[in-house]
């Protein structure tokens, strides 16, 4: 086991210098561009090696956008297609799937219009590889199309990585024999071409196939070979990935502690390199490893880190789709229940009619008048019951239709907020960052830009909270607990000097439901109180507690800060907002504070909850 860990330790010692080398390469390029002609600037940007631009995706993204502007100005369509394809790779690493696909498709359109079959084949291969987890059928189709184009042109240099990626997609599709054929075929081509960058990927991809087939010792051998190559060429992303490859193998061998160490190193390197997908995968794998070790506390902590990274624009869109499917399922379920109730009513009506006929035959002529009276009364009673049931069923249908309509409106509004306002706010932040990093600005102007950026970021978080509430017709205690935990986790991260405590007592009914408005008001009261304590109270401890007393839901937020004299203080926006939201909840509110004694905010006796 010690032998296995030697390579990762050596890689870790060298990684930071490797990463700095790549950053220096891009920074140096950015500084020298202004001394070149526009045509030479464009070529210099387009020639940035793959291992260099994935080592610093943020700087590379800015350089490639500069290249797009130059290519359009110089009417250089081929180079424009090349840079679009590289932007697609950048956004794949940044997990912006919409932009990833957008730029790859742009490159394909340009190459096909120019008759550049080799380049079109490469782009089709990248498009297919991008779809490997979301659309396997089209992933295989696009990759085969790319391979066919390159084989027709007999281009062994460019087809090499496409064979490699195709092998990985086949591995995911559990076609291991075919996967091993293509990955080894690619590896042999890399050796012939002396492709130093590609060799690291080639060895690693063969290792992935062997690991998936549980041939773990073979997998380790190929991982070691990949690590040696990547260390030599200073491939920072590849080094980070190799920790994960080794950890996956160790996990399959039930060597949980060693696997976790390698995942943690990979996550640290991924965070530094801004490889969010890799970082998220490591946290999820660590959480699963701790579950297998029965250490549920650590599993929960790393699971939260995984969920924090997972919470993104894509998550909001995916949640909307899942919610829509849920609505359709629930509607169908209720309609089936209504049909069953109607059938049951009809069956009961037939049974009663048969019994009445039988009684009428036995009773004879002497009881005809009384029986007719009874039957008329009984039939009317049944009719009234039936009418009542049908009325209830109609009301239930109308209610379902209204709920569906309201939910569709919520989803449409939330999508509009996200797609329009959210995108515009994100553009503002991106523009401010470009101003700060692209121009030398006075310090006071930098401070103002930073303030605007922080305010805009805060607005995006508030917008996400609003969309979260809008997408739910009801909010449970678990929903609130999860949302509040995320908020306090972020507050805790940004304020190391403050100790945050959040507790939901066991007596709180986990099945209790609030409306979306009630849930949002409770969340905002906690958020406002914590923010006030952070900004004005100089507190070192902030406690948030949710508990139940005599079947009533209660909320207490306390801090040990400077406090204030309630009689002498005019309500600011924070206290006014808390009072207004408590009023909207029909709840009672006590604010207890005195100078140097901290502050306690108590919300209780919620009505209609």
């Amino acid at each position: 086991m010690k032998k296995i860990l030697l390579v990762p330790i050596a890689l870790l010692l060298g990684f930071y210098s490797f990463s700095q080398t790549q950053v220096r390469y891009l920074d140096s390029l950015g500084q020298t561009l202004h001394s070149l002609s526009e045509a030479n600037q464009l070529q210099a940007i387009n020639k940035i090696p793959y291992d260099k631009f994935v080592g610093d995706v943020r700087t590379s993204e800015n350089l490639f956008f500069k290249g797009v502007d130059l290519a359009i100005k110089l009417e250089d369509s081929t180079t424009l297609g090349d840079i679009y394809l590289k932007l697609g790779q950048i956004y794949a690493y940044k997990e912006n799937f919409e932009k990833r696909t957008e730029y790859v498709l742009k490159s394909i359109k340009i190459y096909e219009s120019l008759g550049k079959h080799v380049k079109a084949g490469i782009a089709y291969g990248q498009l297919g590889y991008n779809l490997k987890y979301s659309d396997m059928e089209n992933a295989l189709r696009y990759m085969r199309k790319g391979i066919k184009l390159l084989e027709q042109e007999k281009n062994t240099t460019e087809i090499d990585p496409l064979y490699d990626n195709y092998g990985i997609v086949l591995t995911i599709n559990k076609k291991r024999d075919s996967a091993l054929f293509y990955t080894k075929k690619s590896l042999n081509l890399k050796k012939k071409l002396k492709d130093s960058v590609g060799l690291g990927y080639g060895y690693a991809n063969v290792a992935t196939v062997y690991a998936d087939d549980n041939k773990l010792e073979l997998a380790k051998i190929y991982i070691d070979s990949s690590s040696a190559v990547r260390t030599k060429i200073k491939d920072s992303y590849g080094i980070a990935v190799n920790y994960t490859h080794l950890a996956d193998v160790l996990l399959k061998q039930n060597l949980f502690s060693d696997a976790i160490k390698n995942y943690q190193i990979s996550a640290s390197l991924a965070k530094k390199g801004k490889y969010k997908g890799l970082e998220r995968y490591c946290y999820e794998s660590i959480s699963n490893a701790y579950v297998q070790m029965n250490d549920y506390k650590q599993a929960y902590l790393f699971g939260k880190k995984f969920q924090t990274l997972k919470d993104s624009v894509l998550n909001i869109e995916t949640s909307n789709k899942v919610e829509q499917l849920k609505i359709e399922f629930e509607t169908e379920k209720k309609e089936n229940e209504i049909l069953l109730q109607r059938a049951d009513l009809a069956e009961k009506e037939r049974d009663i009619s048969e019994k009445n006929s039988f009684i009428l035959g036995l009773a004879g002529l002497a009881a005809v008048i009384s029986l007719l009276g009874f039957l008329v009364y009984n039939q009317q009673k049944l009719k009234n019951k039936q009418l009542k049931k049908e009325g209830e069923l109609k009301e239930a249908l109308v209610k379902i239709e209204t709920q569906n309509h309201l939910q569709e409106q919520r989803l449409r509004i939330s999508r509009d907020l996200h797609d329009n306002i959210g995108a515009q706010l994100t553009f503002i932040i991106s523009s401010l960052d470009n101003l700060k990093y692209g121009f030398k600005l006075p310090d006071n102007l930098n401070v103002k830009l930073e303030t605007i950026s922080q305010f805009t970021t805060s607005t995006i978080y508030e917008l996400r909270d609003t969309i979260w509430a809008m997408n739910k017709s009801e909010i449970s205690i678990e929903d609130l607990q999860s949302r509040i935990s995320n908020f306090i986790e972020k507050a805790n991260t940004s304020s190391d000097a403050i100790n945050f405590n959040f507790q939901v007592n066991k007596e709180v009914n986990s099945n209790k439901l609030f409306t979306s408005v009630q849930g949002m008001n409770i969340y905002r009261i906690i958020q406002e109180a914590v923010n006030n304590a952070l900004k004005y109270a100089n507190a070192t401890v902030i406690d948030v507690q949710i508990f139940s007393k005599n079947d009533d839901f209660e909320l207490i937020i306390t801090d040990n800060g400077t406090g204030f004299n309630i009689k002498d203080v005019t309500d600011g926006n924070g206290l006014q907002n808390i009072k207004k939201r408590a009023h909207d909840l029909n709840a009672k509110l006590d604010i207890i504070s005195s100078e140097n004694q901290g502050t306690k905010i108590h919300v209780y006796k919620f009505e209609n909850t």
Side-chain angles (χ1 to χ4, degrees):
M1 190 77 290
K2 290 181 180 178
K3 182 179 179 181
I4 295 171
L5 294 175
L6 285 176
V7 172
I9 293 171
L11 292 175
L12 179 62
L13 293 174
F15 175 82
Y16 294 104
S17 65
F18 300 164
S19 180
Q20 289 301 315
T21 300
Q22 291 163 341
V23 171
R24 285 197 298 271
Y25 174 89
L26 294 174
D27 287 343
S28 176
L29 177 61
Q31 292 170 4
T32 58
L33 281 178
H34 69 277
S35 63
L36 303 175
S37 66
E38 290 184 338
N40 288 336
Q41 287 182 45
L42 178 59
Q43 294 308 313
I45 291 171
N46 192 35
K47 289 180 180 179
I48 298 174
Y50 174 83
D51 59 320
K52 295 295 189 295
F53 73 72
V54 300
D56 185 0
V57 291
R58 184 172 183 176
T59 303
S60 301
E61 180 184 11
N62 292 332
L63 287 170
F64 288 149
F65 274 125
K66 181 179 179 64
V68 168
D69 292 338
L70 288 169
I72 292 172
K73 181 178 180 181
L74 297 172
E75 299 182 352
D76 187 343
S77 298
T78 301
T79 305
L80 180 61
D82 294 344
I83 295 177
Y84 279 152
L85 187 61
K86 290 176 180 178
L87 278 169
Q89 292 174 308
I90 288 291
Y91 286 117
Y93 282 108
K94 296 182 74 173
E95 292 202 308
N96 189 326
F97 304 129
E98 182 179 349
K99 286 189 176 182
R100 173 198 68 186
T101 304
E102 174 190 346
Y103 282 105
V104 175
L105 288 174
K106 282 184 176 182
S107 70
I108 289 174
K109 288 179 181 178
I110 290 174
Y111 293 147
E112 287 185 335
S113 68
L114 297 173
K116 302 284 186 180
H117 302 303
V118 171
K119 290 180 179 291
I122 296 167
Y124 273 118
Q126 184 169 319
L127 177 62
Y129 190 71
N130 289 343
L131 296 173
K132 60 185 179 294
Y133 292 117
S134 59
D135 187 354
M136 178 58 72
E137 181 179 352
N138 279 318
L140 293 170
R141 182 167 67 88
Y142 286 129
M143 295 199 80
R144 287 168 186 151
K145 185 171 183 177
I147 289 172
K148 184 177 180 181
L149 285 171
L150 290 171
E151 286 180 341
Q152 287 175 348
E153 298 295 322
K154 298 181 180 180
N155 190 308
T156 56
T157 302
E158 301 296 348
I159 204 171
D160 160 32
L162 191 47
Y163 282 151
D164 222 348
N165 289 340
Y166 188 52
I168 292 302
V169 175
L170 290 170
T171 303
I172 296 169
N173 203 27
K174 301 302 179 184
K175 307 289 186 182
R176 297 190 184 95
D177 291 339
S178 298
L180 192 61
F181 170 79
Y182 278 101
T183 52
K184 284 197 171 182
K185 185 175 183 177
S186 174
L187 181 61
N188 290 332
L189 275 175
K190 289 180 175 66
K191 290 177 180 178
K192 290 180 181 178
L193 295 170
K194 297 181 180 180
D195 179 4
S196 57
V197 174
L199 273 175
Y201 287 89
Y203 284 122
N205 290 334
V206 174
T208 299
V209 179
Y210 278 132
D212 191 68
D213 202 21
N214 284 320
K215 296 178 180 178
L216 304 181
E217 294 304 321
L218 280 172
K220 288 179 188 176
I221 292 171
Y222 278 90
I223 292 171
D224 286 343
S225 298
S226 175
S227 298
V229 172
R230 285 171 162 172
T231 302
K232 184 177 180 180
I233 66 170
K234 305 178 181 180
D235 178 2
S236 58
Y237 175 75
I239 291 169
V241 170
N242 273 13
Y243 283 106
T244 304
H245 286 315
L246 181 57
D248 287 341
V249 172
L250 294 170
L251 192 62
K252 282 177 174 283
Q253 294 178 313
N254 295 327
L255 300 173
F256 301 116
S257 297
D258 292 330
I260 289 170
K261 289 176 185 177
N262 282 274
Y263 282 130
Q264 286 176 325
I265 295 171
S266 181
S268 175
L269 303 181
K271 185 173 184 179
K272 181 177 179 62
K274 297 182 175 63
Y275 311 126
K276 289 185 178 180
L278 181 60
E279 185 183 2
R280 187 181 64 219
Y281 174 80
C282 290
Y283 290 144
E284 182 181 20
S285 300
I286 293 171
S287 178
N288 292 337
Y290 276 121
V291 168
Q292 294 183 65
M293 295 172 70
N294 296 322
D295 188 343
Y296 296 105
K297 180 179 179 181
Q298 290 297 323
Y300 170 72
L301 292 175
F302 281 96
K304 283 207 304 182
K305 289 186 176 183
F306 163 70
Q307 288 296 335
T308 299
L309 284 174
K310 191 178 179 183
D311 185 17
S312 63
V313 174
L314 182 62
N315 268 345
I316 294 171
E317 294 172 349
T318 303
S319 297
N320 290 342
K321 292 175 184 176
V322 171
E323 189 65 24
Q324 182 63 39
L325 290 173
K326 181 182 176 184
I327 291 167
E328 292 171 0
F329 169 77
E330 292 296 334
T331 301
E332 182 181 359
K333 182 179 177 183
K334 289 179 181 177
E335 288 175 348
N336 288 336
E337 289 176 354
I338 291 169
L339 291 173
L340 288 173
Q341 288 176 0
R342 284 179 174 171
D344 186 55
L345 284 172
E347 183 67 29
K348 287 180 180 178
E349 188 176 351
R350 284 195 298 271
D351 289 344
I352 292 170
S353 179
E354 290 175 0
K355 289 178 181 179
N356 288 341
S357 299
F358 180 73
I359 293 171
L360 182 62
L362 292 176
L365 295 175
V368 168
I369 297 175
S370 58
L371 283 174
L372 285 174
F374 172 77
L375 288 172
V376 170
Y377 169 78
N378 198 42
Q379 287 290 348
Q380 187 62 41
K381 186 177 179 181
L382 287 172
K383 186 177 181 180
N384 289 338
K385 285 183 178 180
Q386 183 177 354
L387 289 172
K388 183 179 179 181
K389 284 287 186 183
E390 288 180 353
E392 291 173 352
L393 293 174
K394 288 179 180 178
E395 289 178 1
L397 284 171
V398 170
K399 186 176 181 181
I400 290 169
E401 291 173 356
T402 302
Q403 289 174 344
N404 289 343
H405 182 65
L406 289 173
Q407 186 62 24
E408 287 173 359
Q409 287 182 328
R410 287 194 190 102
L411 290 172
R412 184 169 59 253
I413 293 170
S414 66
R415 281 195 295 266
D416 287 342
L417 286 173
H418 168 258
D419 292 341
N420 296 324
I421 298 175
Q424 290 168 4
L425 291 173
T426 303
F427 175 76
I428 291 171
I429 293 174
S430 177
S431 298
L432 291 172
D433 287 341
N434 287 338
L435 285 173
K436 289 189 292 182
Y437 294 104
F439 300 92
K440 291 184 178 179
L441 301 174
D443 291 341
N444 60 341
L445 183 55
N446 269 324
V447 172
K448 289 182 179 179
L449 291 177
E450 183 63 27
T451 302
I452 295 171
S453 178
Q454 291 175 357
F455 176 80
T456 307
T457 301
S458 175
T459 304
I460 290 176
Y461 286 135
E462 292 182 3
L463 178 63
R464 287 180 179 174
D465 291 337
T466 302
I467 292 173
W468 166 74
M470 286 181 65
N471 284 340
K472 294 179 177 290
S473 57
E474 293 178 322
I475 295 177
S476 66
I477 288 291
E478 290 182 351
D479 290 333
L480 272 175
Q481 185 175 1
S482 175
R483 200 72 184 179
I484 293 167
S485 295
N486 285 338
F487 167 70
I488 291 180
E489 176 88 5
K490 292 175 182 176
N492 207 355
T493 302
S494 62
S495 305
D496 295 334
I498 298 178
N499 183 22
F500 290 87
N501 298 306
F502 175 55
Q503 180 181 6
V504 178
N505 289 7
K506 294 181 179 179
E507 62 267 26
V508 175
N509 183 4
S510 61
N511 296 320
K512 179 181 281 292
L513 296 174
F514 301 96
T515 67
S516 59
V517 174
Q518 289 172 331
M520 194 62 182
N521 280 329
I522 293 169
Y523 175 70
R524 290 296 192 202
I525 286 173
I526 294 172
Q527 192 179 48
E528 196 72 58
V530 172
N531 284 335
N532 284 346
L534 287 171
K535 292 179 180 178
Y536 309 116
N538 296 322
T540 58
V541 177
I542 300 175
D543 293 322
V544 178
Q545 184 179 16
I546 296 175
F547 62 97
S548 184
K549 187 176 182 181
N550 298 325
D551 293 328
D552 289 330
F553 181 86
E554 296 194 22
L555 172 66
I556 293 179
I557 307 105
T558 60
D559 66 72
N560 66 344
T562 56
F564 56 91
N565 190 329
I566 296 176
K567 295 180 180 179
D568 296 337
V569 173
T570 303
D571 289 350
N573 289 335
L575 293 179
Q576 283 283 41
N577 287 340
I578 291 173
K579 290 180 178 180
K580 181 180 182 303
R581 293 187 184 278
H583 179 268
D584 292 341
L585 286 165
N586 293 320
K588 292 190 176 182
L589 171 67
D590 290 336
I591 300 177
I592 303 168
S593 184
S594 58
E595 294 182 357
N596 300 319
Q597 296 298 318
T599 300
K600 175 180 178 182
I601 295 174
H602 185 195
V603 187
Y604 58 103
K605 290 191 176 180
F606 290 69
E607 294 185 12
N608 300 321
T609 60

